[in-house]
Amino acid sequence: MKLGWQPRKWLEKKSKRGNRGYPMGTIAYYGPDNRRASKAAVSIIPALNAGPADLRRWFAETGDLRMDETVIAEIAAFLRENEVKSVVMVDAIIGCPHEEGIDYPSGEACPDCSYWKGRNRWTGKLESS
C-alpha cells in the first residue's frame, strides 16, 4: 500500500543525506524560548558563496511550527519547487523570532524575548558577561 508523498519524511531524508550540491535549502527555527518555534525561515542558496536567492518565513502565534504538518508541507513544497539538491536544517530553536535592526535596535537584546538575553543560540547556555 502506497501512502503518497510525505513532506516530513522527505525533509528528514533530504537533510540526512548531507551536501549533495546546489541549490541548497536551509531551514531555521526561532522562538521566544527553547521550547516553541514561532518562526521558521527557509532560504534557497543557489551556489557556493552566494547569498540567498529566495527567503520565506512562516509565523505562528500559538503552537510549534516544527510540529505543524501544514507548515512542514509548505516548506517541503517550497524546497521542491526550487529543486534543491541538499537541505540543511537544525531541529533546535536557534534564537529569538524578532529581527535585530528591524523589530528592535541593533546591538541590543530583544525586549520581548528575555530568554535569549545573554544566551548562546547554538549551545543554549548563558554566557558570562
Side-chain angles (χ1 to χ4, degrees):
M1 175 170 102
K2 274 196 165 183
L3 296 174
W5 185 57
Q6 298 174 32
R8 181 177 298 280
K9 192 171 184 175
W10 181 86
L11 282 173
E12 289 170 358
K13 209 171 176 182
K14 203 77 159 156
S15 68
K16 284 180 183 174
R17 288 187 176 156
N19 187 348
R20 300 285 182 146
Y22 293 88
M24 183 178 289
T26 67
I27 304 171
Y29 294 103
Y30 302 90
D33 55 37
N34 66 339
R35 295 182 311 272
R36 185 177 77 84
S38 61
K39 176 182 176 180
V42 181
S43 67
I44 306 299
I45 310 297
L48 183 65
N49 299 321
D54 198 356
L55 171 65
R56 301 246 176 110
R57 296 176 184 94
W58 284 261
F59 298 92
E61 291 294 322
T62 61
D64 189 328
L65 291 177
R66 296 172 297 173
M67 304 301 149
D68 187 319
E69 295 303 323
T70 301
V71 171
I72 296 297
E74 289 175 8
I75 289 170
F78 172 62
L79 294 171
R80 286 182 70 175
E81 286 168 16
N82 284 279
E83 300 177 356
V84 298
K85 293 182 181 169
S86 307
V87 173
V88 177
M89 63 186 280
V90 179
D91 192 41
I93 297 167
I94 60 169
C96 165
H98 305 101
E99 295 184 39
E100 185 177 5
I102 296 172
D103 297 318
Y104 61 92
S106 293
E108 294 183 18
C110 176
D112 297 322
C113 300
S114 59
Y115 175 84
W116 294 106
K117 186 175 182 179
R119 193 172 296 273
N120 181 303
R121 69 173 52 216
W122 302 108
T123 66
K125 296 182 180 180
L126 286 171
E127 296 179 332
S128 55
S129 41

